[in-house]
Amino acid sequence: MSTTQYTLIPERVALAKMTYGYAASDLTSIKSSGLSSWVNAQLDPNLAEGDSCAKKLLGFKSLGMSVKQISAFDPFVKNSYSAGFELSSITVIRRLFSERQLFEMLVEHFNDYLHVPTYVAWQSRMPYDRDVIRANVLGKYPDMLVASSLHPAMLEYLNGNDNTKDAPNENYGRELQELHTLTSHAGYLQDDVVNAARVFSGISWDYDASQLVIDPDSHWMGAVSVFGWKNPNDGATPSAIRSVTESLVRYLALRPQTARAFSTRLARRFLADDPPSSVIDLMSAKYLQTGGDIPSVVKAMVAAPEFLLSAGQKVKRPMEYVGSVVRALKVELATAIQPGDASRTDDYFHDSVISSLVWYLSTQGQEPMNWPFPNGFPDKANPWTNLNGQVRRWNLGAALAHGWNDQDFHIPPYDQLLSGVTAEPAAVVDALSQLFLGTALAQADRNDILAIVSPVYDGSSAQSKLTQYAQTATSLILSLPTWNFR
Amino acid sequence: MTEQACGCPDFANTPAGLTRRTFLNGMLAMGAGLVISNTTGLRYAIAASGDNGADVIITLSMRGGMDGLMAVPILGDKNLARLRPTASVLDSQALILNRTFGLHPNLTTFKKLYDARELAIVHATGTPIGTRSHFDDQNSLELAAYGQPGSATGWQNRYLEAVGTTGVLSGIAVSDQTPVALYGEASTMAFESLDDIALSDIETDHKTYVDTLKRMHARSEHHWSQTAVDSLTASEALKQVKSNPTAKYPDSSSANRFKVLASLLKAGIPIKTAAIDFDGEFDVHSNAGVRSGSMADNFSDLSASVAAFKEDLGPIWRRVTIVTLTEFGRRLEENASAGVDHGWASAMFVMGGGVRGGQVVTKWPGLSESQLDSGDLAVTTDYRHVLAEILKVRGGLSSDAISAVLPSFVPKRLNITHPLHIGATVPIKRPTK
């Protein structure tokens, strides 16, 4: 069995890994700046999302709302699903259209790391994304973890609201260690879980007042120890209790086991399902040296020689497939996004364009933030490698390539995308291969694609010859195995 | 637009993915009809029961930690009543199974099946190592390769390998994602709905399009590509399967999954093993809702879904064995928020026409403090004993094959199944071509 050879230039390798997708202009930009400057620019807190993205976000009212405001916003009160759907929509728009591509990928990663599904906490999930994840993704992981530990969304999801001294609820105490910091390999014990639960007992979100309540009367008082951390835990004031929780979270966040778990998971996101331990060592060291500074660890990862050597080792998840097609073809939304309509409380946010994008991701099992378990969406290839995902993916690629769903998406004319290319099958196929892959097609793939593309033009369509060749060829190139890896 | 290539490794051959022993020429020569095989000469023509007359083995996973004491309470137990003041079934409301055990009142279908001797319960069962972690325990339960570090194949996939089946629809997950139990060398398919899984046409005849996509993927050895070849074969074969329920299913996502599986089996797709995730809230750290609420609703849905599935299957029911799985049961003592935290042993339900039902099989460990394992019901029957018996008796595996599917494990017979009578019950449905 022969193996098809596709070799990408380093800039394409880097962009495929660190963006949801890229167009020729992104390549030009990374080529002129160089890899490390490009990463620095992407991680600059002052980088703007860009006009195209900002304009699309204008209609979303919950973006700047507090938990209290969302809790009182009539359309969401009447139909709480709308709140989660609005966040899913905002998220998809940012991933597809923001110029802060690496930032958005990291936001997704940490939303998976400290996962809360949107349907669990409609009042607070949008603020969680904004105030816990986005506010800290260019800062230190311990700060993000502290913010998440007392946030109403996490208190709701992992049962902090139900955790009292008489019978501590262990859910958060366990996942804090298993998923958010040490991982189970570290060897913490059931006592550590119970003690962590005790530390957080008596802390809950008061939905009526929309505020955090730290109730010394329901807090378990007395000495606690968790995985080597000890605290007398004897202060009966809200601020004393709060500082004990923060001390525990920061302790766990800065363990070497956490550094390793954090680095493994991050490297799995960007390099390979089973990333090389040399990179993990280097990232862990950087993590500990910088007190868990996320951008520093990301930069260390990208600077490692293994980064560019891991070309094509990740299967694109559904979101990344959609993003890569949309961004490479410069797909635009066919209509301006309709703002929510407060008079339609049962169907507040009804924009069909965004609905179809969110729906598409949902049929492939990746509706933003709606994985049903606390560990976040799977990040290895196996779960995503199946009939459901593959056939739907090929069909979506063909639909976008042809503009079949033109009520939702606008594809720039191929005459513009391929300007200067002769309207002959081979010329069109070769140009598209350069556009998507930056390299020539393997001979066998080229022959197969040309065999289908060549007879396409029969003179009966109003579309140009070039457009017809390009639609068919694009559909086929998008289903090549190579295009489905990053 | 031309760019200089670097010395980066090739996209297609660097991934350290799985490869599969497939016979591509056979796949490409595929015809229409019910012959769904990727090896020429090996043809499946028997409805539902597959090629060797064995049962279709169906797993029903209740992810999140389904508590066995909520589903199958021990009657008149002071410890249970004392430690679960709210998160338990009252003795007066339980459906009585025998002098010792009852059933949750909403599991009415299970009671009927139990009385008809088509449902057996194994209690105080679970994984050999209880970590109380959802993710570690689900993973190791599905790998079922304890003491084999680095093992990356699931037990249902190894079952397919042991059977030697090469049909691309032999192993099915009615799901958006492939579950760990199906990971491995044998071809398996995952899809949650029969809608929108057919390849839409482009500007060529359908067969040319399908064959071209197959060829493009057959050139790469990556698991993604090899699965893609099989996905195409399967997608074509599934076109003839229509959703045609002849029973009224409840309106739930779990019921829809059963409905899809029933349609496949009724259409004669030669499935050997299938995986369904029951979509319920089992991780009840607060407000377990055993008497009314979360758990009560889960059990209503479960009961109604299984009832509809059985009715829909008709005579095929006699050739399926369903086994429920969960990563762990829950703590004996409920917490202050009327919920229950992670525990260890739970109960398993085994049902189907070939099940020696009407019995609760257990080596009951007891619920007094000294009998518990860190506060949890202790595991006295490794869940692999249940799987091993099903695979051997209803799946027709030899003892050697069992040890390949469940390595480093010595199974013992629980006597929860009737011997398989090959070809005895289901009329053979011939392919149309």
Side-chain angles (χ1 to χ4, degrees), chain A residues 54-113:
Chain A
K55 223 182 277 173
K56 295 180 178 70
L57 295 178
L58 287 175
F60 295 96
K61 297 202 176 57
S62 66
L63 267 171
M65 283 186 183
S66 66
V67 179
K68 188 169 190 163
Q69 288 168 322
I70 293 175
S71 307
F73 188 55
D74 200 43
F76 293 167
V77 174
K78 296 229 168 71
N79 182 358
S80 60
Y81 174 80
S82 296
F85 186 72
E86 180 154 310
L87 177 58
S88 295
S89 307
I90 290 166
T91 303
V92 172
I93 289 169
R94 284 176 155 158
R95 289 176 186 170
L96 295 179
F97 299 105
S98 171
E99 287 172 19
R100 307 176 78 187
Q101 284 285 301
L102 177 54
F103 176 82
E104 288 301 328
M105 289 205 75
L106 291 169
V107 166
E108 180 184 16
H109 176 72
F110 287 99
N111 266 303
D112 272 334
Y113 206 151

Side-chain angles (χ1 to χ4, degrees), chain B residues 58-62 258 276-278 302 306 322-325:
Chain B
I58 301 166
T59 57
L60 182 55
S61 292
M62 307 197 187
F258 276 110
I276 290 185
D277 277 6
F278 188 84
L302 177 61
V306 169
I322 303 172
V323 58
T324 65
L325 292 164

